[in-house]
Amino acid sequence: MEFLDAGTMVFLLFFGFMAAFIDSVVGGGGLISVPALLWTGLPPVLALGTNKCAAVMGSFTSFVTFVRSGRVDGSLMRSLFPLSFLGSALGVFAVQLMPAEILRPLVVVMLIAVLLYSIFKRDWGRENHYTGLSQRMLLLAGLVSFGLGFYDGFFGPGAGSFMLFGLLMAGFDFLGAAANARTLNFASNISAVIFFGYLGLINFSYAVPMGLAMIAGAYCGASMALKKGVGYVRPLFILMTTILIGKLVWDLI
Protein backbone atom coordinates (compact mmCIF):
# COMPACT_ATOMS: atom_id res chain seq x y z
CA MET A 1 0.00 0.00 0.00
CA GLU A 2 1.24 3.48 -0.88
CA PHE A 3 1.22 6.34 1.60
CA LEU A 4 -1.23 9.13 0.78
CA ASP A 5 -0.54 12.82 1.26
CA ALA A 6 -2.68 14.72 3.77
CA GLY A 7 -4.72 16.50 1.11
CA THR A 8 -5.72 13.28 -0.65
CA MET A 9 -6.54 11.62 2.67
CA VAL A 10 -8.88 14.46 3.75
CA PHE A 11 -10.46 14.45 0.28
CA LEU A 12 -11.24 10.72 0.46
CA LEU A 13 -12.52 10.92 4.04
CA PHE A 14 -14.90 13.79 3.28
CA PHE A 15 -16.41 12.37 0.12
CA GLY A 16 -16.53 8.87 1.58
CA PHE A 17 -18.61 10.11 4.52
CA MET A 18 -20.99 12.11 2.32
CA ALA A 19 -21.44 9.27 -0.17
CA ALA A 20 -22.27 6.70 2.50
CA PHE A 21 -24.62 9.03 4.39
CA ILE A 22 -26.76 9.46 1.27
CA ASP A 23 -26.35 5.88 0.06
CA SER A 24 -27.41 4.31 3.36
CA VAL A 25 -30.86 5.85 3.00
CA VAL A 26 -31.79 6.08 -0.69
CA GLY A 27 -28.84 4.88 -2.75
CA GLY A 28 -26.93 7.01 -5.23
CA GLY A 29 -23.74 7.23 -3.14
CA GLY A 30 -21.69 6.13 -6.13
CA LEU A 31 -22.65 9.42 -7.75
CA ILE A 32 -20.38 11.05 -5.17
CA SER A 33 -17.65 8.46 -4.50
CA VAL A 34 -16.86 7.28 -8.05
CA PRO A 35 -16.26 10.81 -9.45
CA ALA A 36 -14.17 11.57 -6.35
CA LEU A 37 -11.93 8.56 -7.04
CA LEU A 38 -11.68 9.45 -10.73
CA TRP A 39 -10.65 12.96 -9.68
CA THR A 40 -7.63 11.49 -7.89
CA GLY A 41 -6.43 10.05 -11.20
CA LEU A 42 -7.46 6.39 -10.89
CA PRO A 43 -8.36 4.66 -14.20
CA PRO A 44 -12.14 4.08 -14.57
CA VAL A 45 -12.21 0.31 -13.98
CA LEU A 46 -9.82 0.62 -11.02
CA ALA A 47 -11.99 3.43 -9.62
CA LEU A 48 -15.07 1.16 -9.83
CA GLY A 49 -13.29 -1.66 -7.99
CA THR A 50 -11.85 0.67 -5.36
CA ASN A 51 -15.25 2.27 -4.83
CA LYS A 52 -16.90 -1.11 -4.27
CA CYS A 53 -14.26 -2.07 -1.72
CA ALA A 54 -14.89 1.14 0.23
CA ALA A 55 -18.68 1.01 -0.26
CA VAL A 56 -19.02 -2.49 1.16
CA MET A 57 -17.84 -1.16 4.54
CA GLY A 58 -20.57 1.45 4.53
CA SER A 59 -23.28 -0.85 3.18
CA PHE A 60 -22.47 -3.44 5.86
CA THR A 61 -22.83 -0.77 8.56
CA SER A 62 -26.22 0.44 7.31
CA PHE A 63 -27.32 -3.17 6.74
CA VAL A 64 -26.57 -4.08 10.37
CA THR A 65 -28.24 -0.90 11.64
CA PHE A 66 -31.44 -1.63 9.73
CA VAL A 67 -31.43 -5.32 10.73
CA ARG A 68 -31.23 -4.34 14.39
CA SER A 69 -34.17 -1.98 13.90
CA GLY A 70 -36.36 -4.90 12.77
CA ARG A 71 -37.11 -3.25 9.42
CA VAL A 72 -35.54 -5.99 7.27
CA ASP A 73 -37.81 -8.81 6.05
CA GLY A 74 -35.58 -11.80 6.76
CA SER A 75 -37.65 -14.34 4.84
CA LEU A 76 -37.77 -12.27 1.65
CA MET A 77 -34.11 -11.29 1.84
CA ARG A 78 -32.98 -14.91 2.26
CA SER A 79 -34.51 -15.57 -1.16
CA LEU A 80 -33.25 -12.45 -2.92
CA PHE A 81 -29.80 -11.95 -1.32
CA PRO A 82 -28.07 -14.81 -3.24
CA LEU A 83 -29.53 -13.61 -6.55
CA SER A 84 -28.23 -10.08 -6.08
CA PHE A 85 -24.83 -11.55 -5.11
CA LEU A 86 -24.64 -13.75 -8.22
CA GLY A 87 -25.82 -11.02 -10.57
CA SER A 88 -23.16 -8.63 -9.29
CA ALA A 89 -20.40 -11.22 -9.78
CA LEU A 90 -21.38 -11.64 -13.43
CA GLY A 91 -21.56 -7.86 -13.83
CA VAL A 92 -17.96 -7.44 -12.64
CA PHE A 93 -16.69 -9.84 -15.29
CA ALA A 94 -18.88 -8.22 -17.97
CA VAL A 95 -17.63 -4.68 -17.24
CA GLN A 96 -14.23 -5.60 -18.64
CA LEU A 97 -15.78 -6.71 -21.93
CA MET A 98 -18.42 -4.07 -22.64
CA PRO A 99 -18.44 -0.25 -22.65
CA ALA A 100 -20.61 0.98 -19.77
CA GLU A 101 -21.86 3.85 -21.97
CA ILE A 102 -24.36 1.59 -23.72
CA LEU A 103 -26.44 1.40 -20.53
CA ARG A 104 -26.59 5.12 -19.77
CA PRO A 105 -29.49 6.17 -22.07
CA LEU A 106 -31.69 3.35 -20.77
CA VAL A 107 -30.80 4.17 -17.16
CA VAL A 108 -31.73 7.84 -17.67
CA VAL A 109 -35.17 6.93 -19.06
CA MET A 110 -35.83 4.50 -16.20
CA LEU A 111 -34.78 7.01 -13.54
CA ILE A 112 -37.01 9.72 -15.02
CA ALA A 113 -39.96 7.32 -14.87
CA VAL A 114 -39.18 6.48 -11.23
CA LEU A 115 -38.87 10.17 -10.34
CA LEU A 116 -42.16 11.20 -11.99
CA TYR A 117 -44.03 8.30 -10.37
CA SER A 118 -42.62 9.25 -6.95
CA ILE A 119 -43.54 12.93 -7.33
CA PHE A 120 -47.11 12.56 -8.63
CA LYS A 121 -48.14 9.66 -6.38
CA ARG A 122 -47.80 11.71 -3.20
CA ASP A 123 -49.18 9.13 -0.75
CA TRP A 124 -47.00 6.36 -2.19
CA GLY A 125 -44.65 4.80 0.35
CA ARG A 126 -46.19 6.53 3.37
CA GLU A 127 -47.70 3.32 4.74
CA ASN A 128 -46.54 -0.28 4.69
CA HIS A 129 -48.94 -2.44 2.65
CA TYR A 130 -46.56 -5.37 2.21
CA THR A 131 -48.19 -8.69 3.19
CA GLY A 132 -45.95 -11.11 1.32
CA LEU A 133 -45.43 -12.11 -2.31
CA SER A 134 -47.19 -14.68 -4.46
CA GLN A 135 -45.04 -17.30 -6.21
CA ARG A 136 -45.29 -15.31 -9.44
CA MET A 137 -44.28 -12.03 -7.78
CA LEU A 138 -41.46 -13.76 -5.91
CA LEU A 139 -40.11 -15.05 -9.23
CA LEU A 140 -40.32 -11.54 -10.68
CA ALA A 141 -38.61 -10.11 -7.59
CA GLY A 142 -35.84 -12.68 -8.03
CA LEU A 143 -35.28 -11.67 -11.65
CA VAL A 144 -35.21 -7.99 -10.70
CA SER A 145 -32.74 -8.64 -7.85
CA PHE A 146 -30.47 -10.59 -10.19
CA GLY A 147 -30.72 -7.91 -12.88
CA LEU A 148 -30.01 -5.02 -10.53
CA GLY A 149 -27.17 -6.99 -8.95
CA PHE A 150 -25.68 -7.41 -12.43
CA TYR A 151 -26.12 -3.70 -13.12
CA ASP A 152 -24.50 -2.78 -9.80
CA GLY A 153 -21.44 -4.91 -10.52
CA PHE A 154 -21.27 -3.72 -14.13
CA PHE A 155 -21.91 0.03 -13.80
CA GLY A 156 -23.60 1.01 -10.54
CA PRO A 157 -25.11 4.53 -10.39
CA GLY A 158 -28.77 4.33 -9.40
CA ALA A 159 -28.72 0.62 -8.44
CA GLY A 160 -29.72 1.33 -4.83
CA SER A 161 -32.49 3.69 -5.98
CA PHE A 162 -33.87 1.07 -8.39
CA MET A 163 -33.81 -1.54 -5.60
CA LEU A 164 -35.71 0.84 -3.31
CA PHE A 165 -38.24 1.56 -6.09
CA GLY A 166 -38.85 -2.15 -6.67
CA LEU A 167 -39.55 -2.73 -2.99
CA LEU A 168 -41.94 0.22 -2.92
CA MET A 169 -43.84 -1.43 -5.76
CA ALA A 170 -44.08 -4.57 -3.62
CA GLY A 171 -45.91 -2.56 -0.95
CA PHE A 172 -43.22 -1.46 1.52
CA ASP A 173 -43.22 2.07 2.90
CA PHE A 174 -40.17 4.22 2.15
CA LEU A 175 -38.37 3.30 5.35
CA GLY A 176 -38.99 -0.44 4.98
CA ALA A 177 -37.99 -0.29 1.31
CA ALA A 178 -34.78 1.56 2.24
CA ALA A 179 -33.89 -1.06 4.86
CA ASN A 180 -34.41 -4.02 2.54
CA ALA A 181 -32.78 -2.26 -0.42
CA ARG A 182 -29.64 -1.80 1.68
CA THR A 183 -29.61 -5.55 2.30
CA LEU A 184 -29.70 -6.31 -1.43
CA ASN A 185 -27.14 -3.58 -2.09
CA PHE A 186 -24.83 -5.11 0.51
CA ALA A 187 -25.08 -8.44 -1.34
CA SER A 188 -24.14 -6.87 -4.67
CA ASN A 189 -21.35 -4.81 -3.08
CA ILE A 190 -19.63 -7.68 -1.28
CA SER A 191 -19.84 -9.84 -4.39
CA ALA A 192 -18.29 -7.08 -6.50
CA VAL A 193 -15.47 -6.62 -3.97
CA ILE A 194 -14.60 -10.34 -4.03
CA PHE A 195 -14.36 -10.47 -7.80
CA PHE A 196 -12.79 -7.04 -8.35
CA GLY A 197 -10.18 -8.13 -5.79
CA TYR A 198 -9.66 -11.44 -7.59
CA LEU A 199 -9.02 -9.52 -10.80
CA GLY A 200 -6.59 -7.13 -9.08
CA LEU A 201 -8.77 -4.08 -9.69
CA ILE A 202 -8.75 -2.49 -6.21
CA ASN A 203 -6.40 0.20 -4.91
CA PHE A 204 -6.43 -0.52 -1.18
CA SER A 205 -4.49 2.65 -0.29
CA TYR A 206 -7.52 4.63 -1.44
CA ALA A 207 -10.22 2.11 -0.52
CA VAL A 208 -9.35 1.72 3.18
CA PRO A 209 -9.51 5.40 4.30
CA MET A 210 -12.58 6.07 2.17
CA GLY A 211 -14.20 2.91 3.53
CA LEU A 212 -13.57 3.92 7.15
CA ALA A 213 -15.27 7.26 6.47
CA MET A 214 -18.13 5.38 4.83
CA ILE A 215 -18.67 3.37 8.01
CA ALA A 216 -19.28 6.61 9.92
CA GLY A 217 -21.42 8.08 7.13
CA ALA A 218 -23.57 4.97 6.80
CA TYR A 219 -24.20 4.76 10.53
CA CYS A 220 -25.23 8.42 10.74
CA GLY A 221 -27.43 8.18 7.63
CA ALA A 222 -29.25 5.00 8.67
CA SER A 223 -29.73 6.25 12.22
CA MET A 224 -31.19 9.53 11.01
CA ALA A 225 -33.55 7.71 8.63
CA LEU A 226 -34.86 5.57 11.50
CA LYS A 227 -35.38 8.65 13.68
CA LYS A 228 -36.93 10.91 11.02
CA GLY A 229 -39.03 8.20 9.35
CA VAL A 230 -40.81 8.21 5.99
CA GLY A 231 -41.12 12.00 5.83
CA TYR A 232 -37.32 12.25 5.68
CA VAL A 233 -36.63 9.39 3.26
CA ARG A 234 -39.11 10.31 0.51
CA PRO A 235 -37.81 13.86 -0.25
CA LEU A 236 -34.22 12.65 -0.03
CA PHE A 237 -35.04 9.88 -2.51
CA ILE A 238 -36.58 12.41 -4.93
CA LEU A 239 -33.63 14.81 -4.52
CA MET A 240 -30.94 12.18 -5.14
CA THR A 241 -32.82 10.68 -8.10
CA THR A 242 -33.05 14.15 -9.66
CA ILE A 243 -29.33 14.76 -9.16
CA LEU A 244 -28.48 11.33 -10.52
CA ILE A 245 -30.53 11.98 -13.67
CA GLY A 246 -28.81 15.32 -14.15
CA LYS A 247 -25.37 13.74 -13.79
CA LEU A 248 -26.10 10.96 -16.26
CA VAL A 249 -27.64 13.35 -18.80
CA TRP A 250 -24.58 15.60 -18.47
CA ASP A 251 -22.34 12.60 -19.12
CA LEU A 252 -24.37 11.70 -22.22
CA ILE A 253 -24.15 15.25 -23.58
Side-chain angles (χ1 to χ4, degrees):
M1 288 179 61
E2 61 185 283
F3 289 99
L4 301 180
D5 61 83
T8 302
M9 180 69 74
V10 171
F11 180 84
L12 293 173
L13 292 173
F14 175 77
F15 283 101
F17 180 91
M18 294 303 298
F21 184 92
I22 296 295
D23 200 61
S24 65
V25 184
V26 294
L31 177 65
I32 299 171
S33 56
V34 172
L37 288 166
L38 290 171
W39 186 266
T40 66
L42 291 181
V45 176
L46 188 60
L48 289 173
T50 302
N51 175 65
K52 288 301 181 187
C53 184
V56 76
M57 302 185 203
S59 63
F60 176 73
T61 303
S62 55
F63 162 66
V64 170
T65 303
F66 279 125
V67 167
R68 287 179 173 176
S69 74
R71 286 282 183 169
V72 175
D73 186 310
S75 177
L76 180 63
M77 290 301 107
R78 278 192 292 272
S79 299
L80 302 184
F81 191 99
L83 297 172
S84 183
F85 183 97
L86 178 59
S88 181
L90 295 176
V92 169
F93 285 102
V95 75
Q96 302 174 88
L97 306 174
M98 299 171 61
E101 286 74 14
I102 64 173
L103 282 179
R104 284 178 178 162
L106 178 60
V107 170
V108 171
V109 172
M110 292 172 66
L111 279 172
I112 290 174
V114 168
L115 177 63
L116 292 176
Y117 194 91
S118 302
I119 291 173
F120 289 107
K121 195 170 177 57
R122 295 180 181 276
D123 60 341
W124 187 51
R126 291 191 179 277
E127 296 181 5
N128 192 344
H129 300 291
Y130 177 76
T131 57
L133 297 178
S134 65
Q135 288 296 318
R136 181 179 177 183
M137 287 301 293
L138 185 59
L139 177 60
L140 179 61
L143 291 174
V144 170
S145 297
F146 178 85
L148 289 177
F150 179 90
Y151 171 72
D152 197 24
F154 180 82
F155 183 50
S161 299
F162 285 134
M163 291 174 181
L164 189 150
F165 179 77
L167 290 163
L168 285 169
M169 295 296 291
F172 286 95
D173 61 17
F174 264 97
L175 191 54
N180 288 281
R182 296 316 303 154
T183 303
L184 294 179
N185 209 205
F186 172 62
S188 63
N189 279 347
I190 195 168
S191 175
V193 168
I194 291 171
F195 291 99
F196 271 122
Y198 172 76
L199 295 169
L201 296 174
I202 297 175
N203 184 319
F204 289 98
S205 297
Y206 286 67
V208 172
M210 179 173 265
L212 293 175
M214 283 186 167
I215 291 174
Y219 177 78
C220 292
S223 298
M224 184 170 289
L226 291 169
K227 290 178 182 177
K228 298 290 185 179
V230 173
Y232 165 73
V233 178
R234 183 177 185 273
L236 188 58
F237 173 73
I238 292 173
L239 174 63
M240 284 309 300
T241 304
T242 303
I243 294 172
L244 184 56
I245 290 170
K247 174 63 167 59
L248 292 174
V249 170
W250 178 263
D251 290 343
L252 285 172
I253 295 174

